[in-house]
Amino acid sequence: PSSGVVTGTTLTCSATATDPDDGAITPTYAWTVGSNSVGTGSSYTVSSSDTDVGDIITCTATATDSIGNATTSSATVTVENTAPTLSTVTIMPNSGVYNDVTLTCTASVSDPDESVSIVYDWGQNGNSLATGSSLDLSSYGILPQDTITCTSSVSDSDGGSDSQIVSVSINN
């Protein structure tokens, strides 16, 4: 692809070459990021260990005839950001919750481009309450039938983000 290239994308380079004396010549391929060689062959899978968001990946095809004359052609793509993705967001305990327990919010995050940290924001009936992965309900004026939410959010250094909300109801 020429756009939408992110970590994990497999790129394919293809070229044809002919020579008046040799006929069809099979080219060789070299993949580079800046001045660093990252692969050979007609395909390359974008790796976070080889690239950063914004890097330019170049595929150079070289065809060499039987007497050593060579010609090259190149194509480039730019690595784009992969936004972080949250999953498995939970509040524990999630049932039988009374206003004197401590709740814990957990989530998993995936971002193949970089390490990111999850931020947890707690709310009570739509109003902001506290931050952090746990919340001691006995420290707040929590009433039966209140709804407590945990908003898990994550942002990366290239502007990608994700958030998810989970909630529990307080028992009487």
Side-chain angles (χ1 to χ4, degrees), residues 26-164:
T26 302
T28 59
Y29 301 96
W31 296 89
T32 56
V33 175
S35 61
N36 299 320
S37 174
V38 294
T40 59
S42 62
S43 65
Y44 166 72
T45 301
V46 180
S47 166
S48 62
S49 62
D50 296 337
T51 63
D52 288 318
V53 174
D55 280 352
I56 296 172
I57 300 172
T58 303
C59 174
T60 302
T62 303
T64 306
D65 68 12
S66 60
I67 60 171
N69 292 326
T71 186
T72 63
S73 182
S74 297
T76 63
V77 294
T78 302
V79 178
E80 297 177 15
N81 185 43
T82 303
T85 304
L86 286 166
S87 62
T88 321
V89 180
T90 59
I91 294 178
M92 294 303 290
N94 59 9
S95 63
V97 177
Y98 294 92
N99 60 2
D100 62 349
V101 302
T102 297
L103 299 175
T104 302
C105 191
T106 60
S108 298
V109 64
S110 171
D111 187 334
D113 301 324
E114 62 185 286
S115 294
V116 292
S117 298
I118 302 168
V119 175
Y120 299 99
D121 292 304
W122 294 92
Q124 174 188 16
N125 302 325
N127 298 310
S128 182
L129 197 60
T131 60
S133 62
S134 63
L135 178 70
D136 181 355
L137 295 180
S138 66
S139 299
Y140 301 92
I142 307 297
L143 301 173
Q145 308 307 315
D146 279 354
T147 298
I148 304 298
T149 58
C150 174
T151 303
S152 302
S153 57
V154 63
S155 298
D156 68 19
S157 63
D158 296 297
S161 63
D162 191 18
S163 67
Q164 291 187 20

